[in-house]
């Protein structure tokens, strides 16, 4: 109930009125039945704008900190994200991460739409980074299509590291569903998982027009921080071993 109250009464109408988000390809999202919505991740505002363009409910994973922060602010934060249908995921613990994937499977099993950011974290420089293979494993195990999505302009509305940015009309562009049924039964093959993930990321790149970097976003952030500490203005580029196939 709280999800629909936010979407149609408290938050959604305000965002639509102020930012007038645009949509392309929404017809590719099924009117019913389970599907994975795999999107690029430019801003914390991504999960607000993308669901606005669809009549169906979309559930995302969210950082565990949103559910465990102390104090009054933490309590309200937990209530907000829980009510909005977010699923907590602790990126520092494999057990908790598996718990989030279990929740994702439950949502898909119930015929819902599950939103995921294959990069695992927001892009710090607007480029598209290497996807983690959890999205591929989820698609194969649940036998559901993956719909690639490009959210464009949210990094202008809410830039990384800032609460407010500039006015623009965000664009949410949906691609055609990707069917990976040809790989059924191979969800434990790391090379297949990497191939599927790379195919998903290619479609997101094509939809978004972003430059692709064959490096995990989390590593790129750490490398950029190191360069900043050393006073270098160099842009982080993938090391030679980043092109090797390895499981996430």
């Amino acid at each position: 109930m709280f999800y629909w109250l936010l979407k149609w009464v408290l938050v959604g109408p305000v965002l639509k009125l102020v930012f007038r988000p645009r949509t392309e390809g929404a017809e590719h999202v099924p009117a019913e039945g389970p599907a994975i919505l795999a999107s690029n991740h430019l801003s914390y505002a991504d999960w607000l704008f993308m669901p606005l363009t669809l009549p169906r409910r979309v559930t995302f994973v969210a950082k565990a900190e949103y559910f465990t922060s102390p104090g009054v602010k933490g309590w309200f934060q937990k209530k907000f994200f829980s009510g909005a249908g977010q699923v907590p995921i602790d990126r520092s613990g494999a057990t908790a991460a598996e718990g989030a994937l279990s929740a994702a499977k439950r949502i898909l099993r119930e015929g819902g739409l599950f939103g995921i950011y294959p990069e695992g974290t927001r892009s710090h420089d607007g480029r598209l980074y290497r996807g983690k293979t959890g999205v591929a494993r989820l698609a194969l195990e649940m036998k559901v299509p993956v719909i690639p999505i490009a959210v464009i302009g949210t990094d202008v509305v809410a830039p990384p590291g800032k609460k407010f940015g500039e006015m623009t009309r965000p664009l949410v562009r949906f691609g055609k569903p990707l069917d990976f049924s040809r790989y059924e039964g191979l969800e434990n093959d790391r090379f297949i998982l990497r191939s599927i993930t790379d195919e998903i990321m290619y479609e997101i790149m094509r939809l978004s027009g972003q430059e692709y970097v064959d490096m995990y976003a989390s590593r790129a952030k750490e490398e950029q921080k190191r360069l900043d500490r050393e006073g270098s203005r160099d842009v982080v580029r993938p090391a030679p071993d980043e092109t090797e196939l390895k499981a996430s």
Side-chain angles (χ1 to χ4, degrees):
M1 176 62 73
F2 186 51
Y3 176 89
W4 300 112
L5 186 64
L6 288 174
K7 184 170 182 175
W8 301 120
V9 180
L10 300 178
V11 177
V14 176
L15 291 177
K16 286 185 175 181
L17 178 65
V18 174
F19 296 102
R20 298 180 298 142
R22 298 167 292 157
T23 309
E24 294 180 5
E27 67 275 9
H28 295 312
V29 180
E32 58 184 22
I36 297 171
L37 307 183
S39 175
N40 62 335
H41 199 12
L42 294 173
S43 166
Y44 67 82
D46 293 336
W47 74 273
L48 290 172
F49 284 102
M50 191 270 276
L52 281 182
T53 63
L54 299 173
R56 297 184 61 185
R57 174 173 178 150
V58 181
T59 301
F60 287 91
V61 294
K63 293 189 297 185
E65 300 93 281
Y66 293 153
F67 298 83
T68 58
S69 298
V72 176
K73 178 181 178 181
W75 185 86
F76 278 106
Q77 191 169 258
K78 178 181 177 180
K79 291 296 182 182
F80 176 83
F81 282 99
S82 297
Q86 307 305 292
V87 178
I89 179 171
D90 184 351
R91 291 175 293 184
S92 65
T95 302
E98 284 298 324
L101 287 177
S102 295
K105 293 176 184 178
R106 174 180 55 80
I107 292 163
L108 293 169
R109 198 175 292 117
E110 294 172 353
L113 296 177
F114 189 78
I116 191 170
Y117 302 112
E119 292 169 277
T121 187
R122 294 194 301 267
S123 171
H124 65 290
D125 59 7
R127 298 188 292 175
L128 183 68
Y129 285 87
R130 197 177 205 223
K132 297 189 175 183
T133 58
V135 62
R137 186 183 299 277
L138 191 60
L140 290 186
E141 290 186 2
M142 299 307 299
K143 300 179 177 61
V144 297
V146 177
I147 299 171
I149 302 170
V151 182
I152 302 169
T154 51
D155 55 335
V156 176
V157 173
K162 298 181 181 179
K163 290 185 177 180
F164 303 103
E166 301 176 8
M167 289 295 297
T168 190
R169 295 186 64 188
L171 169 63
V172 182
R173 182 177 288 147
F174 298 88
K176 295 180 179 179
L178 302 175
D179 179 10
F180 298 109
S181 59
R182 62 189 183 279
Y183 296 121
E184 185 175 343
L186 298 174
E187 58 270 14
N188 293 319
D189 187 317
R190 66 190 184 96
F191 294 103
I192 294 296
L193 294 178
R194 173 47 56 195
S195 177
I196 291 173
T197 304
D198 287 345
E199 183 176 339
I200 294 170
M201 299 310 294
Y202 175 81
E203 288 301 316
I204 294 175
M205 178 189 70
R206 188 180 61 81
L207 292 167
S208 68
Q210 292 171 273
E211 176 187 350
Y212 179 77
V213 182
D214 194 22
M215 173 188 285
Y216 292 120
S218 56
R219 177 172 174 179
K221 286 182 179 181
E222 290 303 315
E223 288 294 312
Q224 193 62 60
K225 288 179 181 178
R226 180 183 61 80
L227 291 175
D228 290 343
R229 287 195 299 268
E230 295 174 356
S232 173
R233 294 178 179 272
D234 293 341
V235 176
V236 174
R237 297 296 178 184
D241 64 346
E242 284 294 328
T243 59
E244 294 178 3
L245 297 176
K246 49 188 175 183
S248 299

